[in-house]
Amino acid sequence: SKTDIEKQKTEGPQFKFEGGDTHDFGIVKRGPVAMHKFEFTNVGNQPIIITDVKPSCGCTNVEWIKTPVLPGQKGFIQLGLKTEEQHGVFNKEVYIQSNAITPNGEKRYTLYIKGNAVGEDPKK
């Protein structure tokens, strides 16, 4: 029924990230910048405005959509991970300052990136 659908719509702006809130780079070779674009849909009923995106370390350059993302529209946050600063298994957070609803009422929305940075293949 229509009322059930309306109940599912969240009051306020809300992220829904394609593939979830975590991106696993897998095994990356240390050196090149590893790029990843987090794409999201605003599943709430008010525009999402992202004011800042801060990685937990200075190891990434970040771009994000600067215009409001209206309900039902898509936006993105793109990261460039400096793999030469990673050694072995890494787990990083990316903090999004925005007006969107956050899980558990946290101050900001958190994305996670992980992977395993390896050096040159010693057999070569």
Side-chain angles (χ1 to χ4, degrees):
S1 72
K2 191 174 175 213
T3 50
D4 288 340
I5 293 167
E6 283 173 351
K7 275 187 208 139
Q8 284 168 11
K9 252 209 177 308
T10 306
E11 283 297 321
Q14 189 176 23
F15 289 117
K16 183 183 194 304
F17 282 93
E18 280 168 40
D21 294 348
T22 302
H23 175 68
D24 188 351
F25 280 100
I27 294 174
V28 293
K29 188 169 268 193
R30 208 151 49 228
V33 172
M35 300 299 291
H36 178 66
K37 186 186 265 191
F38 281 100
E39 295 189 341
F40 66 85
T41 303
N42 180 357
V43 295
N45 62 5
Q46 292 168 20
I48 289 178
I49 298 162
I50 299 174
T51 51
D52 199 11
V53 179
K54 283 196 168 69
S56 63
C57 59
C59 58
T60 47
N61 55 28
V62 189
E63 286 177 41
W64 66 90
I65 186 164
K66 302 297 196 294
T67 52
V69 179
L70 301 177
Q73 290 192 337
K74 291 183 186 297
F76 71 90
I77 292 166
Q78 185 166 289
L79 305 170
L81 179 75
K82 290 184 187 166
T83 59
E84 77 269 14
E85 294 179 15
Q86 313 306 321
H87 298 276
V89 174
F90 60 87
N91 288 280
K92 307 282 178 200
E93 291 83 46
V94 181
Y95 304 112
I96 306 169
Q97 295 285 167
S98 76
N99 64 337
I101 294 164
T102 55
N104 314 318
E106 291 160 27
K107 283 199 183 74
R108 46 200 181 174
Y109 197 99
T110 306
L111 295 173
Y112 303 90
I113 55 174
K114 63 181 185 174
N116 186 2
V118 297
E120 290 299 317
D121 187 338
K123 290 193 282 282
K124 283 180 188 165

